[in-house]
Amino acid sequence: MSNLSVFKEEPYIFKKEYGDFLQLPDVDCRQQPPFLVLLVTSSPRQVAARMAIRNTWGREKTVRGKQVRTLFLLGMTASKADVRDVTQEGQQHRDIIQKNFVDVYSNLTLKTLMGLEWIHHFCPQAAFGMKTDSDMFINVNYLTELLLKKNRTTRFFTGYLKLNEIPIRKKFNKWFISKYEYPWDKYPPFCSGTGYVFSSDVASQVYNVSESVPFIKLEDVFVGLCLAKLKIRPEELHSEQTFFPGGLRFSTCRFKRIVTCHFMKPQDLLNYWQALENSREDCPVV
């Protein structure tokens, strides 16, 4: 897997210098080092999703005595109205990281690398980072609890483990990848892009090694390729399943003991969060 000579014939994007920061968040990592930085990939028009997150799990600033910050990763759009609105939103909330690449699905890898670059340059003092998406429920409290119990501070990477995935070669599939882009028959171990967590040193190491790894649009696989080159193997966070990329039926007791749940509509997220905050239910200890 580390032999990338097969790609030397064709140029690929050198990602490290790709794009300038247009917006940076108001976070002082030197004065107040966050325990956890949540990096949420979003697109300019997903305003409702961002507001729902800001009013639910993204509102959490101190969890179990630890600093937590939620930031949104955005690219650029050709729409002047969208550019204006995102700029105003960033000035109001001070939680947007933005670069001048085109905000399309095929640039999700660039978007993710932008978040890792931000940690590398502006917030290496953070203990952990998490990459997630704007249609997710994140139980920040339970995640913090599990990270404190795990007590790992370096070369740590976790999420929903995908250890034996094979490339999809059907052309009209969202996750199609050609033999030219990826000639091997199996992916290295990686974690679902819906939500993975890493010690901050991994953000720097992946960002630095990314320049020598061939660019592919499948962001979670790309990060897995970087991890393979770094000889960092994704590992379980907890003995029970806590990451749910396929979604999960809501119940207050269930959602108190998970880290992620996919396919969250903004209104559902607001409703579920309120139910969790108001819950006085005695949940069985697992």
Side-chain angles (χ1 to χ4, degrees):
M1 187 60 68
S2 60
N3 179 13
L4 302 174
S5 59
V6 69
F7 289 95
K8 286 183 178 174
E9 304 304 316
E10 292 292 332
Y12 56 86
I13 298 171
F14 281 81
K15 298 157 289 292
K16 205 168 179 181
E17 304 301 327
Y18 197 84
D20 301 316
F21 283 105
L22 302 176
Q23 291 201 65
L24 289 167
D26 184 16
V27 181
D28 188 344
C29 292
R30 289 182 180 175
Q31 294 296 319
Q32 288 189 306
F35 176 75
L36 175 63
V37 175
L38 299 137
L39 301 167
V40 185
T41 60
S42 187
S43 59
R45 293 190 178 178
Q46 291 176 332
V47 184
R50 288 193 293 278
M51 286 310 301
I53 290 170
R54 289 185 183 112
N55 288 316
T56 57
W57 54 265
R59 194 177 68 202
E60 304 289 329
K61 296 289 189 287
T62 307
V63 178
R64 296 177 177 266
K66 302 291 186 181
Q67 294 287 314
V68 176
R69 292 302 302 262
T70 298
L71 306 173
F72 297 96
L73 309 177
L74 280 84
M76 273 293 284
T77 170
S79 163
K80 289 183 180 179
D82 287 348
V83 171
R84 182 195 64 231
D85 291 347
V86 168
T87 302
Q88 289 175 351
E89 184 183 345
Q91 289 169 347
Q92 179 183 352
H93 295 284
R94 311 299 297 171
D95 60 1
I96 288 175
I97 303 172
Q98 186 180 28
K99 270 192 171 190
N100 60 350
F101 56 82
V102 181
D103 199 309
V104 290
Y105 179 73
S106 58
N107 277 338
L108 189 55
T109 299
L110 290 178
K111 194 177 282 185
T112 300
L113 282 172
M114 174 179 69
L116 301 182
E117 181 183 358
W118 182 84
I119 289 179
H120 173 70
H121 282 309
F122 299 102
C123 204
Q125 299 86 354
F128 295 95
M130 178 179 194
K131 181 267 162 183
T132 189
D133 297 329
S134 56
D135 59 349
M136 298 293 293
F137 166 85
I138 308 295
N139 187 330
V140 183
N141 186 66
Y142 192 48
L143 172 57
T144 302
E145 178 188 327
L146 292 176
L147 287 172
L148 289 168
K149 280 183 183 172
K150 196 77 173 176
N151 196 26
R152 285 286 303 280
T153 54
T154 59
R155 292 177 67 81
F156 180 64
F157 193 95
T158 190
Y160 183 83
L161 270 55
K162 290 177 169 278
L163 304 180
N164 295 293
E165 297 291 309
I166 58 174
I168 293 171
R169 305 298 190 190
K170 294 177 181 175
K171 278 196 174 176
F172 297 105
N173 191 290
K174 183 180 181 181
W175 297 287
F176 163 76
I177 190 162
S178 68
K179 284 248 183 190
Y180 169 70
E181 293 172 282
Y182 189 85
W184 298 288
D185 295 325
K186 187 180 171 185
Y187 287 135
F190 67 99
C191 290
S192 165
T194 53
Y196 49 78
V197 182
F198 45 88
S199 52
S200 68
D201 64 310
V202 172
S204 289
Q205 289 175 57
V206 169
Y207 170 65
N208 284 324
V209 83
S210 69
E211 191 176 343
S212 62
V213 175
F215 180 89
I216 56 174
K217 70 176 183 181
L218 307 175
E219 146 270 327
D220 46 9
V221 176
F222 177 82
V223 171
L225 285 166
C226 293
L227 294 174
K229 197 159 189 184
L230 294 163
K231 295 182 169 54
I232 295 172
R233 189 171 177 85
E235 54 190 280
E236 296 285 5
L237 177 61
H238 188 42
S239 56
E240 303 285 331
Q241 183 180 348
T242 54
F243 294 84
F244 290 88
L248 193 65
R249 188 172 179 179
F250 179 77
S251 79
T252 51
C253 284
R254 192 77 192 88
F255 270 53
K256 285 177 182 178
R257 310 301 289 181
I258 68 170
V259 172
T260 73
C261 183
H262 193 198
F263 303 119
M264 282 287 149
K265 294 174 182 172
Q267 192 56 52
D268 290 337
L269 182 56
L270 291 164
N271 293 342
Y272 296 165
W273 191 261
Q274 189 171 19
L276 284 164
E277 289 206 315
N278 295 338
S279 171
R280 298 291 175 265
E281 202 173 344
D282 285 328
C283 299
V285 178
V286 289

